[in-house]
mmCIF file of all heavy atoms in Angstrom:
data_model
loop_
_atom_site.group_PDB
_atom_site.id
_atom_site.type_symbol
_atom_site.label_atom_id
_atom_site.label_comp_id
_atom_site.label_asym_id
_atom_site.label_seq_id
_atom_site.Cartn_x
_atom_site.Cartn_y
_atom_site.Cartn_z
ATOM 1 N N LEU B 176 82.076 106.719 96.147
ATOM 2 C CA LEU B 176 82.061 106.185 97.506
ATOM 3 C C LEU B 176 82.411 104.702 97.534
ATOM 4 O O LEU B 176 83.162 104.242 98.394
ATOM 5 C CB LEU B 176 80.697 106.418 98.153
ATOM 6 C CG LEU B 176 80.488 105.810 99.547
ATOM 7 C CD1 LEU B 176 81.520 106.335 100.528
ATOM 8 C CD2 LEU B 176 79.087 106.100 100.060
ATOM 9 N N ASN B 177 81.860 103.919 96.608
ATOM 10 C CA ASN B 177 82.129 102.489 96.591
ATOM 11 C C ASN B 177 83.620 102.209 96.460
ATOM 12 O O ASN B 177 84.181 101.382 97.179
ATOM 13 C CB ASN B 177 81.375 101.835 95.425
ATOM 14 C CG ASN B 177 80.430 100.754 95.908
ATOM 15 O OD1 ASN B 177 80.201 100.609 97.088
ATOM 16 N ND2 ASN B 177 79.896 100.000 94.978
ATOM 17 N N GLU B 178 84.264 102.884 95.507
ATOM 18 C CA GLU B 178 85.685 102.669 95.286
ATOM 19 C C GLU B 178 86.499 103.075 96.513
ATOM 20 O O GLU B 178 87.416 102.366 96.930
ATOM 21 C CB GLU B 178 86.158 103.459 94.059
ATOM 22 C CG GLU B 178 85.688 102.914 92.734
ATOM 23 C CD GLU B 178 84.308 103.411 92.342
ATOM 24 O OE1 GLU B 178 83.635 104.038 93.198
ATOM 25 O OE2 GLU B 178 83.900 103.180 91.195
ATOM 26 N N TYR B 179 86.146 104.223 97.089
ATOM 27 C CA TYR B 179 86.882 104.711 98.250
ATOM 28 C C TYR B 179 86.735 103.751 99.428
ATOM 29 O O TYR B 179 87.723 103.413 100.098
ATOM 30 C CB TYR B 179 86.379 106.093 98.643
ATOM 31 C CG TYR B 179 87.135 106.725 99.785
ATOM 32 C CD1 TYR B 179 88.262 107.502 99.543
ATOM 33 C CD2 TYR B 179 86.737 106.538 101.105
ATOM 34 C CE1 TYR B 179 88.981 108.073 100.580
ATOM 35 C CE2 TYR B 179 87.444 107.103 102.148
ATOM 36 C CZ TYR B 179 88.560 107.873 101.886
ATOM 37 O OH TYR B 179 89.262 108.421 102.920
ATOM 38 N N TYR B 180 85.531 103.310 99.674
ATOM 39 C CA TYR B 180 85.275 102.411 100.802
ATOM 40 C C TYR B 180 86.021 101.096 100.620
ATOM 41 O O TYR B 180 86.694 100.610 101.539
ATOM 42 C CB TYR B 180 83.775 102.160 100.915
ATOM 43 C CG TYR B 180 83.390 101.144 101.959
ATOM 44 C CD1 TYR B 180 83.264 101.508 103.292
ATOM 45 C CD2 TYR B 180 83.135 99.821 101.614
ATOM 46 C CE1 TYR B 180 82.907 100.582 104.259
ATOM 47 C CE2 TYR B 180 82.776 98.892 102.566
ATOM 48 C CZ TYR B 180 82.665 99.267 103.882
ATOM 49 O OH TYR B 180 82.308 98.349 104.821
ATOM 50 N N LEU B 181 85.908 100.510 99.431
ATOM 51 C CA LEU B 181 86.550 99.223 99.184
ATOM 52 C C LEU B 181 88.063 99.330 99.309
ATOM 53 O O LEU B 181 88.708 98.498 99.969
ATOM 54 C CB LEU B 181 86.167 98.716 97.789
ATOM 55 C CG LEU B 181 86.785 97.383 97.365
ATOM 56 C CD1 LEU B 181 86.262 96.251 98.238
ATOM 57 C CD2 LEU B 181 86.489 97.092 95.898
ATOM 58 N N LEU B 182 88.652 100.351 98.694
ATOM 59 C CA LEU B 182 90.104 100.477 98.734
ATOM 60 C C LEU B 182 90.608 100.760 100.144
ATOM 61 O O LEU B 182 91.646 100.230 100.554
ATOM 62 C CB LEU B 182 90.552 101.586 97.779
ATOM 63 C CG LEU B 182 92.063 101.747 97.600
ATOM 64 C CD1 LEU B 182 92.690 100.453 97.105
ATOM 65 C CD2 LEU B 182 92.376 102.894 96.634
ATOM 66 N N SER B 183 89.888 101.567 100.906
ATOM 67 C CA SER B 183 90.328 101.844 102.277
ATOM 68 C C SER B 183 90.295 100.581 103.132
ATOM 69 O O SER B 183 91.190 100.363 103.956
ATOM 70 C CB SER B 183 89.460 102.943 102.900
ATOM 71 O OG SER B 183 88.109 102.523 102.997
ATOM 72 N N MET B 184 89.278 99.734 102.948
ATOM 73 C CA MET B 184 89.212 98.479 103.699
ATOM 74 C C MET B 184 90.323 97.523 103.273
ATOM 75 O O MET B 184 90.929 96.841 104.113
ATOM 76 C CB MET B 184 87.844 97.822 103.508
ATOM 77 C CG MET B 184 86.707 98.557 104.191
ATOM 78 S SD MET B 184 86.913 98.551 105.997
ATOM 79 C CE MET B 184 85.529 99.590 106.496
ATOM 80 N N ILE B 185 90.599 97.442 101.984
ATOM 81 C CA ILE B 185 91.656 96.547 101.509
ATOM 82 C C ILE B 185 93.016 97.035 102.006
ATOM 83 O O ILE B 185 93.873 96.218 102.379
ATOM 84 C CB ILE B 185 91.619 96.453 99.975
ATOM 85 C CG1 ILE B 185 90.378 95.672 99.532
ATOM 86 C CG2 ILE B 185 92.878 95.785 99.433
ATOM 87 C CD1 ILE B 185 90.209 95.559 98.040
ATOM 88 N N ILE B 186 93.213 98.348 102.030
ATOM 89 C CA ILE B 186 94.471 98.880 102.572
ATOM 90 C C ILE B 186 94.623 98.472 104.037
ATOM 91 O O ILE B 186 95.699 98.054 104.482
ATOM 92 C CB ILE B 186 94.522 100.407 102.414
ATOM 93 C CG1 ILE B 186 94.707 100.789 100.948
ATOM 94 C CG2 ILE B 186 95.651 101.005 103.248
ATOM 95 C CD1 ILE B 186 94.640 102.280 100.682
ATOM 96 N N GLY B 187 93.541 98.595 104.806
ATOM 97 C CA GLY B 187 93.598 98.170 106.203
ATOM 98 C C GLY B 187 93.924 96.696 106.339
ATOM 99 O O GLY B 187 94.714 96.289 107.204
ATOM 100 N N LEU B 188 93.317 95.860 105.488
ATOM 101 C CA LEU B 188 93.592 94.420 105.522
ATOM 102 C C LEU B 188 95.047 94.135 105.187
ATOM 103 O O LEU B 188 95.706 93.327 105.864
ATOM 104 C CB LEU B 188 92.664 93.707 104.530
ATOM 105 C CG LEU B 188 92.951 92.223 104.277
ATOM 106 C CD1 LEU B 188 92.756 91.412 105.550
ATOM 107 C CD2 LEU B 188 92.063 91.689 103.153
ATOM 108 N N VAL B 189 95.565 94.777 104.153
ATOM 109 C CA VAL B 189 96.945 94.527 103.736
ATOM 110 C C VAL B 189 97.927 95.011 104.799
ATOM 111 O O VAL B 189 98.937 94.346 105.077
ATOM 112 C CB VAL B 189 97.215 95.209 102.377
ATOM 113 C CG1 VAL B 189 98.687 95.125 102.015
ATOM 114 C CG2 VAL B 189 96.366 94.566 101.288
ATOM 115 N N LYS B 190 97.654 96.159 105.407
ATOM 116 C CA LYS B 190 98.530 96.635 106.481
ATOM 117 C C LYS B 190 98.567 95.646 107.639
ATOM 118 O O LYS B 190 99.633 95.400 108.230
ATOM 119 C CB LYS B 190 98.045 98.005 106.970
ATOM 120 C CG LYS B 190 98.398 99.163 106.058
ATOM 121 C CD LYS B 190 97.976 100.484 106.694
ATOM 122 C CE LYS B 190 98.438 101.672 105.861
ATOM 123 N NZ LYS B 190 98.036 102.966 106.479
ATOM 124 N N THR B 191 97.414 95.099 107.957
ATOM 125 C CA THR B 191 97.368 94.107 109.034
ATOM 126 C C THR B 191 98.105 92.841 108.630
ATOM 127 O O THR B 191 98.732 92.174 109.471
ATOM 128 C CB THR B 191 95.907 93.789 109.384
ATOM 129 O OG1 THR B 191 95.255 94.994 109.790
ATOM 130 C CG2 THR B 191 95.823 92.769 110.504
ATOM 131 N N LYS B 192 98.041 92.499 107.358
ATOM 132 C CA LYS B 192 98.742 91.320 106.863
ATOM 133 C C LYS B 192 100.250 91.501 107.015
ATOM 134 O O LYS B 192 100.969 90.565 107.387
ATOM 135 C CB LYS B 192 98.399 91.120 105.386
ATOM 136 C CG LYS B 192 98.672 89.732 104.851
ATOM 137 C CD LYS B 192 97.574 88.775 105.257
ATOM 138 C CE LYS B 192 97.747 87.442 104.552
ATOM 139 N NZ LYS B 192 96.720 86.475 104.992
ATOM 140 N N ILE B 193 100.724 92.705 106.726
ATOM 141 C CA ILE B 193 102.157 92.974 106.844
ATOM 142 C C ILE B 193 102.590 93.018 108.303
ATOM 143 O O ILE B 193 103.617 92.455 108.687
ATOM 144 C CB ILE B 193 102.497 94.310 106.154
ATOM 145 C CG1 ILE B 193 102.238 94.225 104.657
ATOM 146 C CG2 ILE B 193 103.950 94.690 106.400
ATOM 147 C CD1 ILE B 193 102.440 95.541 103.937
ATOM 148 N N SER B 194 101.782 93.693 109.120
ATOM 149 C CA SER B 194 102.147 93.882 110.528
ATOM 150 C C SER B 194 100.929 93.607 111.410
ATOM 151 O O SER B 194 100.142 94.522 111.677
ATOM 152 C CB SER B 194 102.668 95.307 110.757
ATOM 153 O OG SER B 194 102.977 95.521 112.110
ATOM 154 N N PRO B 195 100.731 92.364 111.836
ATOM 155 C CA PRO B 195 99.555 92.036 112.672
ATOM 156 C C PRO B 195 99.477 92.838 113.960
ATOM 157 O O PRO B 195 98.384 93.033 114.497
ATOM 158 C CB PRO B 195 99.749 90.539 112.964
ATOM 159 C CG PRO B 195 100.632 90.045 111.855
ATOM 160 C CD PRO B 195 101.535 91.187 111.522
ATOM 161 N N ALA B 196 100.583 93.322 114.451
ATOM 162 C CA ALA B 196 100.572 94.066 115.712
ATOM 163 C C ALA B 196 99.840 95.395 115.591
ATOM 164 O O ALA B 196 99.401 95.965 116.597
ATOM 165 C CB ALA B 196 102.004 94.301 116.194
ATOM 166 N N THR B 197 99.701 95.899 114.374
ATOM 167 C CA THR B 197 99.040 97.197 114.163
ATOM 168 C C THR B 197 97.568 97.034 113.782
ATOM 169 O O THR B 197 96.972 97.975 113.244
ATOM 170 C CB THR B 197 99.768 97.982 113.058
ATOM 171 O OG1 THR B 197 99.704 97.230 111.823
ATOM 172 C CG2 THR B 197 101.223 98.203 113.420
ATOM 173 N N ARG B 198 96.998 95.878 114.044
ATOM 174 C CA ARG B 198 95.630 95.600 113.602
ATOM 175 C C ARG B 198 94.636 96.613 114.128
ATOM 176 O O ARG B 198 93.795 97.130 113.395
ATOM 177 C CB ARG B 198 95.201 94.190 114.042
ATOM 178 C CG ARG B 198 93.857 93.771 113.483
ATOM 179 C CD ARG B 198 93.454 92.400 113.966
ATOM 180 N NE ARG B 198 93.047 92.429 115.365
ATOM 181 C CZ ARG B 198 92.514 91.383 116.009
ATOM 182 N NH1 ARG B 198 92.372 90.229 115.381
ATOM 183 N NH2 ARG B 198 92.156 91.478 117.274
ATOM 184 N N SER B 199 94.716 96.952 115.394
ATOM 185 C CA SER B 199 93.745 97.861 115.996
ATOM 186 C C SER B 199 93.790 99.238 115.344
ATOM 187 O O SER B 199 92.752 99.817 115.000
ATOM 188 C CB SER B 199 94.008 97.979 117.504
ATOM 189 O OG SER B 199 93.115 98.894 118.095
ATOM 190 N N SER B 200 95.004 99.772 115.155
ATOM 191 C CA SER B 200 95.117 101.097 114.540
ATOM 192 C C SER B 200 94.687 101.066 113.077
ATOM 193 O O SER B 200 94.096 102.033 112.574
ATOM 194 C CB SER B 200 96.552 101.603 114.653
ATOM 195 O OG SER B 200 97.457 100.724 113.999
ATOM 196 N N ASN B 201 94.947 99.956 112.385
ATOM 197 C CA ASN B 201 94.518 99.832 110.989
ATOM 198 C C ASN B 201 93.000 99.816 110.883
ATOM 199 O O ASN B 201 92.419 100.442 109.985
ATOM 200 C CB ASN B 201 95.090 98.559 110.367
ATOM 201 C CG ASN B 201 96.603 98.574 110.301
ATOM 202 O OD1 ASN B 201 97.223 99.635 110.249
ATOM 203 N ND2 ASN B 201 97.205 97.399 110.310
ATOM 204 N N ASP B 202 92.361 99.085 111.796
ATOM 205 C CA ASP B 202 90.900 99.032 111.801
ATOM 206 C C ASP B 202 90.303 100.414 112.042
ATOM 207 O O ASP B 202 89.350 100.832 111.364
ATOM 208 C CB ASP B 202 90.407 98.061 112.885
ATOM 209 C CG ASP B 202 90.799 96.621 112.602
ATOM 210 O OD1 ASP B 202 91.380 96.374 111.527
ATOM 211 O OD2 ASP B 202 90.529 95.753 113.449
ATOM 212 N N THR B 203 90.860 101.118 113.000
ATOM 213 C CA THR B 203 90.356 102.453 113.318
ATOM 214 C C THR B 203 90.545 103.417 112.153
ATOM 215 O O THR B 203 89.660 104.219 111.835
ATOM 216 C CB THR B 203 91.066 102.998 114.569
ATOM 217 O OG1 THR B 203 90.858 102.095 115.664
ATOM 218 C CG2 THR B 203 90.549 104.371 114.940
ATOM 219 N N GLU B 204 91.698 103.330 111.503
ATOM 220 C CA GLU B 204 91.969 104.206 110.365
ATOM 221 C C GLU B 204 90.980 103.941 109.231
ATOM 222 O O GLU B 204 90.429 104.885 108.635
ATOM 223 C CB GLU B 204 93.397 103.985 109.878
ATOM 224 C CG GLU B 204 93.805 104.903 108.739
ATOM 225 C CD GLU B 204 95.219 104.635 108.273
ATOM 226 O OE1 GLU B 204 95.598 103.441 108.158
ATOM 227 O OE2 GLU B 204 95.958 105.606 108.016
ATOM 228 N N ALA B 205 90.732 102.664 108.906
ATOM 229 C CA ALA B 205 89.791 102.321 107.831
ATOM 230 C C ALA B 205 88.386 102.789 108.174
ATOM 231 O O ALA B 205 87.659 103.316 107.317
ATOM 232 C CB ALA B 205 89.811 100.816 107.580
ATOM 233 N N ALA B 206 87.985 102.605 109.424
ATOM 234 C CA ALA B 206 86.645 103.021 109.842
ATOM 235 C C ALA B 206 86.493 104.540 109.785
ATOM 236 O O ALA B 206 85.477 105.049 109.293
ATOM 237 C CB ALA B 206 86.364 102.510 111.253
ATOM 238 N N ASN B 207 87.489 105.262 110.266
ATOM 239 C CA ASN B 207 87.408 106.723 110.270
ATOM 240 C C ASN B 207 87.337 107.282 108.854
ATOM 241 O O ASN B 207 86.635 108.272 108.599
ATOM 242 C CB ASN B 207 88.607 107.310 111.008
ATOM 243 C CG ASN B 207 88.533 107.077 112.510
ATOM 244 O OD1 ASN B 207 87.455 106.819 113.050
ATOM 245 N ND2 ASN B 207 89.662 107.160 113.185
ATOM 246 N N ARG B 208 88.064 106.658 107.934
ATOM 247 C CA ARG B 208 88.006 107.114 106.547
ATOM 248 C C ARG B 208 86.596 106.963 105.980
ATOM 249 O O ARG B 208 86.065 107.871 105.328
ATOM 250 C CB ARG B 208 89.004 106.325 105.704
ATOM 251 C CG ARG B 208 90.448 106.763 105.892
ATOM 252 C CD ARG B 208 91.414 105.806 105.218
ATOM 253 N NE ARG B 208 92.764 106.361 105.166
ATOM 254 C CZ ARG B 208 93.843 105.657 104.843
ATOM 255 N NH1 ARG B 208 93.744 104.371 104.557
ATOM 256 N NH2 ARG B 208 95.036 106.248 104.817
ATOM 257 N N ALA B 209 85.988 105.806 106.209
ATOM 258 C CA ALA B 209 84.638 105.572 105.694
ATOM 259 C C ALA B 209 83.637 106.535 106.326
ATOM 260 O O ALA B 209 82.767 107.092 105.641
ATOM 261 C CB ALA B 209 84.228 104.122 105.947
ATOM 262 N N ILE B 210 83.749 106.744 107.624
ATOM 263 C CA ILE B 210 82.819 107.631 108.329
ATOM 264 C C ILE B 210 82.970 109.064 107.837
ATOM 265 O O ILE B 210 81.976 109.778 107.618
ATOM 266 C CB ILE B 210 83.056 107.539 109.850
ATOM 267 C CG1 ILE B 210 82.685 106.140 110.358
ATOM 268 C CG2 ILE B 210 82.263 108.604 110.590
ATOM 269 C CD1 ILE B 210 83.110 105.875 111.791
ATOM 270 N N GLN B 211 84.213 109.508 107.653
ATOM 271 C CA GLN B 211 84.465 110.882 107.221
ATOM 272 C C GLN B 211 83.850 111.152 105.851
ATOM 273 O O GLN B 211 83.190 112.176 105.633
ATOM 274 C CB GLN B 211 85.968 111.150 107.180
ATOM 275 C CG GLN B 211 86.331 112.561 106.705
ATOM 276 C CD GLN B 211 87.829 112.744 106.517
ATOM 277 O OE1 GLN B 211 88.573 111.773 106.505
ATOM 278 N NE2 GLN B 211 88.265 113.984 106.370
ATOM 279 N N VAL B 212 84.044 110.236 104.901
ATOM 280 C CA VAL B 212 83.532 110.437 103.548
ATOM 281 C C VAL B 212 82.006 110.356 103.532
ATOM 282 O O VAL B 212 81.344 111.153 102.850
ATOM 283 C CB VAL B 212 84.158 109.407 102.588
ATOM 284 C CG1 VAL B 212 83.465 109.445 101.232
ATOM 285 C CG2 VAL B 212 85.644 109.690 102.413
ATOM 286 N N CYS B 213 81.439 109.424 104.270
ATOM 287 C CA CYS B 213 79.974 109.313 104.323
ATOM 288 C C CYS B 213 79.356 110.573 104.934
ATOM 289 O O CYS B 213 78.313 111.052 104.466
ATOM 290 C CB CYS B 213 79.563 108.074 105.110
ATOM 291 S SG CYS B 213 79.808 106.524 104.233
ATOM 292 N N THR B 214 79.982 111.089 105.969
ATOM 293 C CA THR B 214 79.474 112.309 106.598
ATOM 294 C C THR B 214 79.522 113.477 105.624
ATOM 295 O O THR B 214 78.589 114.284 105.537
ATOM 296 C CB THR B 214 80.297 112.627 107.858
ATOM 297 O OG1 THR B 214 80.238 111.518 108.757
ATOM 298 C CG2 THR B 214 79.756 113.869 108.546
ATOM 299 N N PHE B 215 80.626 113.577 104.867
ATOM 300 C CA PHE B 215 80.724 114.640 103.870
ATOM 301 C C PHE B 215 79.625 114.509 102.817
ATOM 302 O O PHE B 215 78.973 115.498 102.462
ATOM 303 C CB PHE B 215 82.092 114.600 103.194
ATOM 304 C CG PHE B 215 82.127 115.381 101.910
ATOM 305 C CD1 PHE B 215 82.209 116.762 101.918
ATOM 306 C CD2 PHE B 215 82.052 114.731 100.682
ATOM 307 C CE1 PHE B 215 82.222 117.486 100.738
ATOM 308 C CE2 PHE B 215 82.064 115.440 99.502
ATOM 309 C CZ PHE B 215 82.147 116.822 99.524
ATOM 310 N N LEU B 216 79.429 113.304 102.290
ATOM 311 C CA LEU B 216 78.417 113.113 101.254
ATOM 312 C C LEU B 216 77.022 113.449 101.763
ATOM 313 O O LEU B 216 76.211 114.040 101.042
ATOM 314 C CB LEU B 216 78.457 111.669 100.746
ATOM 315 C CG LEU B 216 79.537 111.343 99.718
ATOM 316 C CD1 LEU B 216 79.506 109.867 99.376
ATOM 317 C CD2 LEU B 216 79.365 112.174 98.465
ATOM 318 N N HIS B 217 76.738 113.076 102.995
ATOM 319 C CA HIS B 217 75.428 113.389 103.576
ATOM 320 C C HIS B 217 75.221 114.904 103.629
ATOM 321 O O HIS B 217 74.165 115.421 103.242
ATOM 322 C CB HIS B 217 75.331 112.777 104.970
ATOM 323 C CG HIS B 217 74.085 113.174 105.704
ATOM 324 N ND1 HIS B 217 72.824 112.798 105.287
ATOM 325 C CD2 HIS B 217 73.899 113.923 106.824
ATOM 326 C CE1 HIS B 217 71.918 113.289 106.114
ATOM 327 N NE2 HIS B 217 72.547 113.982 107.055
ATOM 328 N N THR B 218 76.243 115.619 104.086
ATOM 329 C CA THR B 218 76.142 117.077 104.180
ATOM 330 C C THR B 218 76.068 117.722 102.800
ATOM 331 O O THR B 218 75.272 118.643 102.564
ATOM 332 C CB THR B 218 77.351 117.634 104.951
ATOM 333 O OG1 THR B 218 77.434 117.000 106.227
ATOM 334 C CG2 THR B 218 77.230 119.135 105.141
ATOM 335 N N ALA B 219 76.902 117.238 101.870
ATOM 336 C CA ALA B 219 76.956 117.836 100.534
ATOM 337 C C ALA B 219 75.640 117.646 99.793
ATOM 338 O O ALA B 219 75.128 118.576 99.152
ATOM 339 C CB ALA B 219 78.103 117.225 99.742
ATOM 340 N N ARG B 220 75.082 116.460 99.858
ATOM 341 C CA ARG B 220 73.836 116.205 99.141
ATOM 342 C C ARG B 220 72.668 116.952 99.772
ATOM 343 O O ARG B 220 71.727 117.342 99.081
ATOM 344 C CB ARG B 220 73.572 114.707 99.081
ATOM 345 C CG ARG B 220 74.532 114.010 98.130
ATOM 346 C CD ARG B 220 74.377 112.514 98.131
ATOM 347 N NE ARG B 220 75.275 111.921 97.138
ATOM 348 C CZ ARG B 220 75.512 110.635 97.022
ATOM 349 N NH1 ARG B 220 74.919 109.787 97.853
ATOM 350 N NH2 ARG B 220 76.323 110.172 96.096
#
């Protein structure tokens, strides 16, 4: 989880760095990824 969360956030940051106009969609994508994986882990455990 730590690796997935960190890399997804860094990907969102880098995408925003390349294209600031897509900041909102990048933020949403990073957040949804973290939420999806956390929800899965909660259910699986």
Side-chain angles (χ1 to χ4, degrees):
L176 175 58
N177 238 10
E178 288 85 350
Y179 184 89
Y180 174 83
L181 179 66
L182 186 58
S183 63
M184 290 296 175
I185 290 178
I186 289 175
L188 171 64
V189 172
K190 283 185 175 180
T191 301
K192 199 79 172 177
I193 295 175
S194 178
T197 61
R198 187 182 74 173
S199 178
S200 60
N201 296 334
D202 294 356
T203 302
E204 183 181 42
N207 289 340
R208 284 170 169 168
I210 294 170
Q211 179 187 13
V212 170
C213 286
T214 302
F215 163 77
L216 279 177
H217 174 66
T218 304
R220 288 175 177 170

